Amino acid sequence: MGSGEFYSSAYEWRYFNKIKEDMEAGGTVYYANLTVKQGTTGYTRQAVKAAEKYTIFIGSLGDNTVNTVVFNGKDVSNEVVNGYYTTPEIKGESVLSITYETGTAVRSLEQAHLKVMGYQDEISIKGIDHPCDVYVYTADGKLVSSLPSAQGDVSLRLTREQLYIVKVGSRAFKVAL
């Protein structure tokens, strides 16, 4: 997928009259895209063999720590063992999203059970245990959303393919949609 034009213009392939980009053959999916979105660096998309599991190491650098790991909209943070996550069998377009908490040198016990997740065009915040203000900024610092005195679980719809900084009380998270 995505390379049909290169084959069509390559000298070596000049005798092929029809080059078709297709990830399915005879109704069977052989490859699917696995996208890994990371709140600190953007995302990586890889064509992988369908019907197979993949093990991915999830780590962090600097003062960032992993907050939440989401696979196809499901929180799988508890399935990360020693930094490794193994996907279920890939059956189609799949997304693994990793949310990082920033500035953890002095960790506050405030909102101890807080999880911040991004999937498709939505940021979900779960476990706000007492009312606090929630602010969402673009990577360049522009405020795009705010929820005064939020509590419990909240969701915000935002533009895809963006990196956001989510501030919940005194804690900040990097989320890529």
Side-chain angles (χ1 to χ4, degrees), residues 64-171:
N64 297 312
T65 58
V66 175
N67 172 263
T68 310
V69 179
V70 175
F71 183 74
N72 288 343
K74 177 187 172 202
D75 182 359
V76 295
S77 303
N78 293 335
E79 297 175 34
V80 177
V81 178
N82 296 324
Y84 289 92
Y85 172 68
T86 301
T87 68
E89 288 184 1
I90 304 291
K91 297 185 189 239
E93 193 79 26
S94 296
V95 177
L96 179 70
S97 297
I98 306 160
T99 301
Y100 294 90
E101 184 170 359
T102 62
T104 56
V106 180
R107 182 179 277 280
S108 167
L109 292 178
E110 175 187 341
Q111 310 290 1
H113 303 288
L114 194 62
K115 291 213 173 213
V116 179
M117 300 174 274
Y119 183 66
Q120 295 183 341
D121 64 349
E122 184 174 278
I123 291 177
S124 296
I125 305 164
K126 298 185 184 278
I128 304 174
D129 54 20
H130 64 271
C132 68
D133 296 334
V134 174
Y135 299 97
V136 180
Y137 301 90
T138 60
D140 62 358
K142 180 182 174 193
L143 179 66
V144 292
S145 186
S146 65
L147 295 169
S149 299
Q151 189 169 1
D153 298 343
V154 297
S155 295
L156 301 161
R157 291 214 181 275
L158 299 164
T159 305
R160 284 183 175 195
E161 308 298 329
Q162 296 282 331
L163 176 65
Y164 294 100
I165 307 299
V166 179
K167 189 169 184 292
V168 182
S170 64
R171 295 174 69 183

